[in-house]
Amino acid sequence: MAKIDIGPPDYKKFLSPMIRKNYGKWKYHEYVKPGVIRHVAESEDTLYSIRIGSPRLVSIDFIRDICTLADEYCEGYLRFTSRNNIEFMTGDESKVEPLIEACKAKGLPVGGTGKSLSNIVHTQGWVHCHTPATDASGIVKSVMDDLYEYFIRDDLPAKLKVAMACCLNMCGAVHCSDIAILGVHRTAPVIKHEIIQKGTEIPTLVACCPTGAIRPDPKNKSVAVNEAKCMYCGNCYTMSPGMEILDAKNDGVAILVGGKVSNARSAPSFSRLVIPFLPNNPPRWPEVTAAVRNIVETWIKYARKGERVGEWIERIGWERFFTLANIPFSEKCIDDYIFSRETFRTSAAFKY
């Protein structure tokens, strides 16, 4: 009888013998230098993780290259992190430096551990997604090229996580990253009645709108959009190609800051909008790259040791952040969501 697909295999089958032996019994780990972590188990076994930066979308040739490195230096074992880094793992300290040199020879940067910039987690963008307001891979490449120095050093105030999502449906982690790059649509979908009439399930299309902006239009056997309620999410385009949301002139990028998942020192927090719109200027997106670098360098200059971006901003106040970073404040940065009782600013005191 043929084997059926019952989901992914048990990940423990793919762990290295040392990790399997010491699973759940690790005593501590320490950062040896940027890109190298030393793990020590209760059994005194020692494992080294060598982290390199990698694109999220890679070719078969690239995978073959890194597998060759793993075979030569790590008994064939490696793993991908949740932020698209690659970690080679070996228990032989003598292979650490040769592996690092082999990675550098192939143009693979070693770093991203400790108080450094990790790789940027991102969404599909123009490569695959059907509702992006901007590209993901292109912006991430541009930003990481510009901030490369912070990936290979670990002397920042704290760890730095950057995320990229190409629309506000957020397949990425822009809601909880230190700095987030978000593609934004600014115009309501253009309704193409002839397409909707031919093959769209109108009740499903109406129901898909999270703000109730879409209503039936019996006269045209189609739908109508209340633009005052539309939040430009593009969810309707997922239901029907007759709801075209892409707009080359008005689509662009917003920047958010201050989010984190970590529960250390302070509670997890959501990112908040600081730059409502930057233009789409491929292939290098200079405005976006400059804005991210400005925020990173301002944080490095003024933050205390151990402060994440959001923790630093909360300490000095958001008004002071806008002043230090020389970012103009916009009314679009005001949190006016009707259910945001926990984050509403009820005081009339300002620190400008």
Side-chain angles (χ1 to χ4, degrees):
M1 183 177 178
K3 183 178 179 180
I4 61 172
D5 182 5
I6 54 173
D10 184 356
Y11 68 92
K12 291 183 180 179
K13 295 179 181 179
F14 306 101
L15 299 178
S16 69
M18 184 181 293
I19 294 178
R20 193 180 304 116
K21 172 188 172 184
N22 297 288
Y23 194 88
K25 300 176 183 178
W26 295 97
K27 189 161 52 174
Y28 66 91
H29 71 268
E30 58 187 2
Y31 297 107
V32 179
K33 64 178 185 177
V36 181
I37 308 174
R38 180 173 177 262
H39 313 267
V40 179
E42 294 173 0
S43 64
E44 299 305 324
D45 285 344
T46 301
L47 180 73
Y48 290 88
S49 294
I50 298 88
R51 180 178 295 180
I52 67 168
S54 163
R56 176 174 177 262
L57 303 176
V58 297
S59 67
I60 294 296
D61 289 337
F62 178 86
I63 294 173
R64 288 189 177 122
D65 285 343
I66 62 172
C67 287
T68 299
L69 291 173
D71 287 337
E72 184 174 353
Y73 297 100
C74 306
E75 300 178 343
Y77 290 99
L78 60 80
R79 78 181 189 100
F80 289 87
T81 73
S82 60
R83 303 191 77 86
N84 312 316
N85 297 295
I86 297 170
E87 284 191 359
F88 295 102
M89 297 169 290
T90 178
D92 187 348
E93 184 178 1
S94 66
K95 292 184 177 180
V96 173
E97 288 302 325
L99 172 58
I100 291 174
E101 293 305 316
C103 290
K104 290 180 178 179
K106 288 186 174 295
L108 302 174
V110 178
T113 58
K115 296 178 180 179
S116 66
L117 167 67
S118 188
N119 213 348
I120 299 178
V121 63
H122 67 89
T123 57
Q124 301 286 357
W126 292 336
V127 171
H128 178 73
C129 185
H130 60 292
T131 58
T134 188
D135 189 31
S137 300
I139 289 182
V140 168
K141 168 66 174 170
S142 302
V143 172
M144 282 301 289
D145 281 352
D146 187 62
L147 299 180
Y148 171 79
E149 62 187 288
Y150 300 122
F151 182 83
I152 60 175
R153 53 187 267 202
D154 61 357
D155 57 350
L156 304 185
K159 64 176 67 174
L160 178 61
K161 306 289 188 182
V162 180
M164 164 80 213
C166 47
C167 78
L168 56 73
N169 287 301
M170 286 196 299
C171 309
V174 303
H175 63 295
C176 58
S177 294
D178 294 298
I179 300 174
I181 307 165
L182 175 64
V184 289
H185 298 290
R186 298 194 297 170
T187 53
V190 176
I191 304 174
K192 298 180 179 179
H193 296 294
E194 66 279 4
I195 296 177
I196 294 176
Q197 292 164 0
K198 288 179 181 178
T200 298
E201 192 177 61
I202 289 179
T204 303
L205 176 57
V206 172
C208 81
C209 181
T211 60
I214 301 175
R215 62 181 184 274
D217 180 6
K219 181 180 179 181
N220 292 307
K221 296 182 180 180
S222 180
V223 297
V225 173
N226 181 349
E227 294 194 18
K229 288 185 175 182
C230 179
M231 67 175 189
Y232 320 124
C233 68
N235 205 34
C236 54
Y237 185 66
T238 303
M239 298 294 108
S240 172
M243 304 292 288
E244 181 63 69
I245 188 69
L246 306 180
D247 185 333
K249 182 178 179 180
N250 291 296
D251 289 349
V253 176
I255 305 293
L256 300 87
V257 302
K260 74 184 185 82
V261 176
S262 168
N263 206 30
R265 297 174 305 278
S266 61
S269 59
F270 285 123
S271 307
R272 296 190 180 186
L273 179 71
V274 293
I275 302 178
F277 183 80
L278 294 169
N280 266 330
N281 278 330
R284 300 300 292 180
W285 282 269
E287 296 87 356
V288 176
T289 301
V292 174
R293 172 169 278 275
N294 173 50
I295 294 171
V296 170
E297 292 184 341
T298 305
W299 168 66
I300 292 173
K301 182 177 180 180
Y302 293 103
R304 294 173 180 170
K305 184 177 180 180
E307 279 186 329
R308 299 282 293 269
V309 173
E311 294 168 336
W312 162 62
I313 296 174
E314 289 294 335
R315 174 173 62 83
I316 66 173
W318 284 86
E319 297 87 357
R320 181 67 174 156
F321 162 74
F322 278 95
T323 300
L324 291 176
N326 196 28
I327 297 174
F329 184 82
S330 164
E331 73 280 359
K332 293 181 174 62
C333 299
I334 299 173
D335 186 357
D336 60 355
Y337 179 51
I338 60 173
F339 297 115
S340 62
R341 294 183 295 273
E342 300 299 323
T343 58
F344 261 147
R345 188 171 197 172
T346 55
S347 168
F350 286 83
K351 300 178 183 178
Y352 281 118

